[in-house]
Amino acid sequence: MKEVFGRIFIHRREENWWMNLLVPITSIIIALIVGAIFIASTGRDPILAYKLMFGASGLVPGPYFKTHFAEMLLYTALFASTGLAFALPARAGLFSIGAEGQFLVGMITAAFFGFWKPLYNLPSFIHITIIFAMVILFGGLWGLIAGFLKAKKGINETIITIMLNWIAFHLIEGWLVPTGGPLAADVSTGVSGTPYVSPSARLPVILPGTRLNISILVMLLVIYLAWFLLYRTVFGYEIRAMGYTAITNMEAPKIGGVNTEKRIMQIMFLGGAIAALGGSFVVLGFLGQYPPVFEGGYGFDGIAVALIGGNEPVGILLSSMLIGGLRTGATAVQLARIPKTFPAIIEGLIVAFIALNELIRYLLSKVLLRKKEGVA
C-alpha cells in the first residue's frame, strides 16, 4: 500500500510520499472551508449546501446513488482524458493547453466515422474499434502539430496549442457542422449538427438503468498504460528526465543521448490522442452526434485535474473523480438557493491552494514537527 500511494505523488520527494498525498488533501479541505465562508457571507446555509452537493455527487451514499455514481464516473472518464493530455507533456517539461482543441477533434472524428455509410452496418465491436483508432490517429496528429513546431522550430508550445484550440473550434463549428457544411446533416431530416451515428457506434451501457458506458473502462486502461509508460519503460524514464531538466533546456538528457526532439513529438501525439478519445466518449456515449454548438471546457478543466492530481496517472484518476463528483452534484446546490456554478468555484479554490503547495507543505511540516517534539 505504501508503494502504491508513493507512486501517486512521487516525482518530488520520494522519501516523503505521504506529504505529497497530504498536501492536496489539505488543499481540498481548506478550499471547502473557504467556500463555506463564501456561502455563509451570503446568508445561506453552507452545511445544507455541502450536504446537497455531496449527497448528489455519487461520491458518498445518498438518494439515487446509483444514478449519481454512474454520472460521476461518466464525468471522470472525460476529465481524466484531458487531465492526462495535459499531464503527460507536463512530465516532459512542456506546458500544453491544447486539450480543448484535441477534444473537439476527437468529437468530430467520432461523429464522422459513426455515421459514415461504409461502416454503418458493421458489428458494434468492430465499428467502435475502428472509430477509436481513427480518433486516436487524428487527435494525435492534431497534438503532433504543436510537438513538431516545438521540436523542430523551437516555437513555444503554449502559444501553438492556444492557436490550435481556436483553429479546431472555428474549423468545426464555423465550417464543418453548420447547416450546409461538409459534415452537416441533410436539412430535410430536420437535424442540426452532424447526422446521428449508427446504433453500432454507440458505446455499450455497463450499468443498467443509467447512462454509464464502457468509457470509464477504456479510460482506466489508458490510465494504467500511462502509468506503465512513465515508470516501466525507457521512454518514460527519458520523458521524466526531460521534465526534471526542462528549466536548463533539457541539456542533461541531450548529453545522455536522449533524442529530445523525437520524444517531444511522441509525447505531444500521445496527449492529443488521449484528449481526443475523451471527445469521442461524448459523441458515442450520450450525444450521438456533434451538435451545432457544443459547450466545451473539458480541455481547460483538465489542467485543473492534472494539477490537483500532481500530474500522476493515478492522482489524475482520483482528482477526476473529485471534480466529476462536484459537477454531478452541481445541480443539487440550487435547492439551497446557490447557483449551480458554485462547484466550479470550489474547483478553482482547490487549484489555487494547490498552487500554494510549498506554503502548505511548510506549515504541515511545522505542525507535525511540533507534535513529534511534544510526544518526545
Side-chain angles (χ1 to χ4, degrees):
M1 183 62 72
K2 178 179 177 179
E3 183 183 356
V4 172
F5 281 103
R7 289 292 181 188
I8 297 174
F9 300 98
I10 199 170
H11 66 282
R12 292 209 57 206
R13 301 178 183 183
E14 295 186 28
E15 72 279 12
N16 289 329
W17 64 270
W18 50 270
M19 183 64 84
N20 296 332
L21 180 62
L22 194 58
V23 168
I25 291 175
T26 305
S27 300
I28 292 169
I29 294 173
I30 295 175
L32 292 174
I33 293 172
V34 173
I37 294 172
F38 282 165
I39 296 172
S41 67
T42 64
R44 297 176 175 86
D45 185 352
I47 296 177
L48 175 61
Y50 283 146
K51 185 179 178 181
L52 290 169
M53 183 174 71
F54 283 105
S57 67
L59 295 170
V60 295
Y64 309 105
F65 176 69
K66 180 181 174 182
T67 303
H68 294 147
F69 179 71
E71 292 297 311
M72 181 271 291
L73 290 182
L74 282 175
Y75 276 121
T76 297
L78 302 182
F79 289 131
S81 71
T82 52
L84 277 175
F86 175 84
L88 290 179
R91 297 306 301 268
L94 303 171
F95 194 81
S96 168
I97 56 176
E100 184 72 12
Q102 295 152 5
F103 192 89
L104 296 178
V105 169
M107 285 185 66
I108 194 65
T109 304
F112 173 73
F113 286 100
F115 70 72
W116 196 37
K117 292 299 180 186
L119 304 179
Y120 208 84
N121 293 318
L122 286 175
S124 184
F125 175 76
I126 297 175
H127 196 174
I128 292 173
T129 301
I130 292 174
I131 293 174
F132 278 165
M134 292 297 104
V135 165
I136 289 171
L137 175 64
F138 283 96
L141 289 175
W142 198 259
L144 182 61
I145 295 173
F148 176 81
L149 292 174
K150 169 68 177 180
K152 298 296 183 182
K153 304 297 179 183
I155 302 175
N156 186 284
E157 73 278 6
T158 306
I159 296 173
I160 305 168
T161 48
I162 290 173
M163 294 174 64
L164 286 172
N165 284 343
W166 285 109
I167 291 171
F169 174 76
H170 290 294
L171 183 67
I172 295 169
E173 298 200 7
W175 177 53
L176 293 176
V177 173
T179 302
L183 300 185
D186 193 330
V187 177
S188 61
T189 63
V191 176
S192 55
T194 66
Y196 283 94
V197 301
S198 161
S200 62
R202 301 301 294 263
L203 300 181
V205 171
I206 58 174
L207 187 60
T210 71
R211 299 194 303 169
L212 183 62
N213 54 53
I214 62 170
S215 60
I216 185 63
L217 302 179
V218 174
M219 193 44 59
L220 287 174
L221 176 62
V222 171
I223 288 171
Y224 171 75
L225 292 176
W227 175 85
F228 186 87
L229 191 70
L230 282 176
Y231 294 108
R232 291 291 186 270
T233 66
V234 174
F235 176 85
Y237 174 80
E238 293 181 352
I239 288 296
R240 287 183 288 135
M242 289 165 57
Y244 288 132
T245 59
I247 196 169
T248 55
N249 200 27
M250 306 174 188
E251 289 299 332
K254 289 176 184 174
I255 294 171
V258 177
N259 187 338
T260 56
E261 291 185 359
K262 180 180 176 182
R263 293 304 188 212
I264 287 172
M265 290 189 285
Q266 289 173 331
I267 203 69
M268 290 297 288
F269 179 93
L270 282 177
I274 295 173
L277 201 57
S280 72
F281 295 158
V282 175
V283 171
L284 306 181
F286 32 92
L287 290 185
Q289 61 157 179
Y290 194 105
V293 178
F294 177 69
E295 186 179 348
Y298 290 102
F300 301 118
D301 288 328
I303 298 174
V305 168
L307 291 176
I308 296 171
N311 287 334
E312 292 285 348
V314 181
I316 287 170
L317 172 63
L318 298 177
S319 62
S320 299
M321 292 178 70
L322 172 66
I323 302 301
L326 292 178
R327 294 297 173 87
T328 303
T331 306
V333 299
Q334 294 179 98
L335 297 175
R337 297 183 296 117
I338 296 171
K340 66 177 183 180
T341 54
F342 175 73
I345 298 175
I346 296 294
E347 183 182 321
L349 287 171
I350 294 173
V351 173
F353 287 113
I354 289 286
L356 296 173
N357 73 85
E358 288 298 337
L359 175 61
I360 294 174
R361 186 185 297 273
Y362 171 76
L363 294 175
L364 284 173
S365 300
K366 295 286 284 185
V367 170
L368 293 173
L369 183 61
R370 284 182 183 177
K371 187 177 179 180
K372 189 176 180 180
E373 289 175 348
V375 172

